Each structure stands twice: as C-alpha cells, then as structure tokens.
Amino acid sequence: MSRSRHTATIRQLRTIRADARTALFYSSNWITVILVGFALMLLLWGAWSVSDRMLSIASGFIEIPSIAGTVMHVLLYLLLTPLILGFISFCTDLIRVSRGDGSGRVPPTVVFSVYTSGRSIIRAWLCLPLQLLPWLIYAVCVVLGNRFFPLTGLGGIVSASVYTTVLVFSAVLLLLTCLFFSALLSPLTYLCVTRPELSFRAIASAMRSMTRYTVLQSVLLQLSLLTALALSVLLTAGVAAFLYVLPIGLFEYLCLCESSAHRTDSAL
C-alpha cells in the first residue's frame, strides 16, 4: 500500500512539474515573468536604497533619531509588500490562461491589483511573514548555532569528527523540520490571493484540507528548488536562478496549489 502511494506521489509530482513547464513556456509567459519580476525587484531595491540614501543625506544637516531608520523600513514594508502578492496573482492568471480557463492576455498591471482592497493589503502584511516563518526560524538557528557551537577550537581529530557529524545531523534534521512546516503553510499565500472572500478561519481550514495529501510533494519540490538554486549560484553566479530556477519554482508551487485546490474544492 505504501509503495503504491509512493508511486502515485511521484507520478503526481511529475505531472505538476510538466504542468508548470507548459504554463511557463506557453506563448511569451517566460519572458513576461522575467521582465515583470525584474521590474518588481528593481522597484523594491530602488525604494529601499533611495530611502536609506535620503536618510543618510538628511542626517548630515539635522539630527535624525536612531529610530527613524526602523520606522522608514516598516513603512516601506507596509507599502511594498502587496506587490509580492500581486506578482503571485499575475503568475496564477498566466497559468489559468495557459490551461484555457481564461481568455486573452494577462496585463502586468495585475501586480497592483492587491492595492484595490484594504483587506487584501492587510492580508499581504500578515501572510508573507507567516509563510516565511519556518525559514526565518532556520536562519536564526543557523546563526545562533554558528555563534555558540563553532567548528573551531576542537581538541583532536576524533572529537572534531564526532562534533562535526552531530552538528551536520542536527542541521539536516532542522532543515527537514522547516521543510515540513513550510509545506503545511504552503497554500497560505495562494489562498490569500485566489480566495479573497475567505476568512482567516476558513483559510486555515482550507490549508488543512489542501495539505492532507501534498506535504510530501511540497517537501520534494522545495528540496529540488534549494538544490537547483545552490547549483545555479555555484555554476552560473545566480544567472540561471533568475532566468529559470525561480520562475519554474514559483510555477511549480502554484500548480501544486491549483491541483490541491481542485481536489478539495468542496471544502473551500
């Protein structure tokens, strides 16, 4: 029984990847996603950089309170975060058009659609930190582990080998734990974008229904994405990550959520 379930999981995973590639390379979707994504990153980086530069220039003329920088960064987060959900909404529409669920081309202005509703803006502020929470915890644990359990100053070769093995095993266990909880949270952003009428309680219920049979698929997709990102950084200085790995990873995530949502549509 477990073997048949494993085979079904692998088959579904291949279907999701095939659907993601089909949607990404349908018409000019691939080029559009790259251009819109680049424009979005340029806007986010530019706003952040300009605000820091203006604060630095102003501090040369008047005394700026130390909290001013924190306040400015919080305001930028509140102002710009909805763009990320808008980009996910844009890519979701591209996938649906590629499947024949929509007609015509999807305008890039969909990226700004989240700003049309105060409720959508508030959800953008809340859902992204929750979606990234397992990875934030992982990053904090890695930093603290490197600080309190460094790989230096060991007494001998044997003790160093055992010590390193324990640390590596702990890091892998922590990674798998974060992948698992990230898989449980994976439908959150998708539901906030595609089901704006749902309450937070209904979204939590829908997440439980959607991830009932997709946790393993989500973990495997995340592992393959992390591996591809690491290889692209090492071998292509991140160029392949921007041109292919990140777009296909986003489309695989959305296709997984779409497939799961169709399966549990009655619960939504």
Side-chain angles (χ1 to χ4, degrees), residues 169-212:
F169 177 77
S170 301
V172 171
L173 184 62
L174 177 61
L175 175 62
L176 293 177
T177 303
C178 290
L179 284 170
F180 173 75
F181 284 105
S182 180
L184 293 180
L185 291 170
S186 59
L188 177 60
T189 303
Y190 170 82
L191 289 170
C192 287
V193 168
T194 60
R195 301 289 196 276
E197 74 281 358
L198 293 180
S199 65
F200 282 110
R201 180 173 296 182
I203 287 177
S205 176
M207 286 171 56
R208 288 193 296 269
S209 299
M210 290 177 62
T211 56
R212 186 174 301 170

Side-chain angles (χ1 to χ4, degrees), residues 17 219-229 245 252:
R17 286 177 166 168
V219 169
L220 292 176
L221 285 176
Q222 290 181 83
L223 277 175
S224 64
L225 177 62
L226 290 174
T227 303
L229 282 175
V245 177
E252 286 178 352

Side-chain angles (χ1 to χ4, degrees), residues 256-267:
L256 174 64
C257 291
E258 288 269 293
S259 174
S260 180
H262 287 313
R263 182 184 302 173
T264 60
D265 191 54
S266 58

Side-chain angles (χ1 to χ4, degrees), residues 127-260:
C127 82
L128 286 178
L130 289 175
Q131 187 88 68
L132 297 174
L133 183 60
W135 297 111
L136 295 176
I137 294 175
Y138 182 78
V140 170
C141 290
V142 169
V143 171
L144 292 178
N146 186 56
R147 179 178 179 181
F148 294 105
F149 304 99
L151 292 174
T152 57
L154 300 174
I157 296 177
V158 175
S159 61
S161 175
V162 173
Y163 186 72
T164 303
T165 301
V166 171
L167 286 183
V168 171
F169 177 77
S170 301
V172 171
L173 184 62
L174 177 61
L175 175 62
L176 293 177
T177 303
C178 290
L179 284 170
F180 173 75
F181 284 105
S182 180
L184 293 180
L185 291 170
S186 59
L188 177 60
T189 303
Y190 170 82
L191 289 170
C192 287
V193 168
T194 60
R195 301 289 196 276
E197 74 281 358
L198 293 180
S199 65
F200 282 110
R201 180 173 296 182
I203 287 177
S205 176
M207 286 171 56
R208 288 193 296 269
S209 299
M210 290 177 62
T211 56
R212 186 174 301 170
Y213 304 107
T214 60
V215 171
L216 180 58
Q217 295 174 10
S218 180
V219 169
L220 292 176
L221 285 176
Q222 290 181 83
L223 277 175
S224 64
L225 177 62
L226 290 174
T227 303
L229 282 175
L231 291 175
S232 68
V233 170
L234 291 174
L235 301 178
T236 68
V239 174
F242 178 75
L243 293 180
Y244 181 76
V245 177
L246 290 177
I248 196 65
L250 177 59
F251 271 58
E252 286 178 352
Y253 157 73
L254 292 175
C255 287
L256 174 64
C257 291
E258 288 269 293
S259 174
S260 180

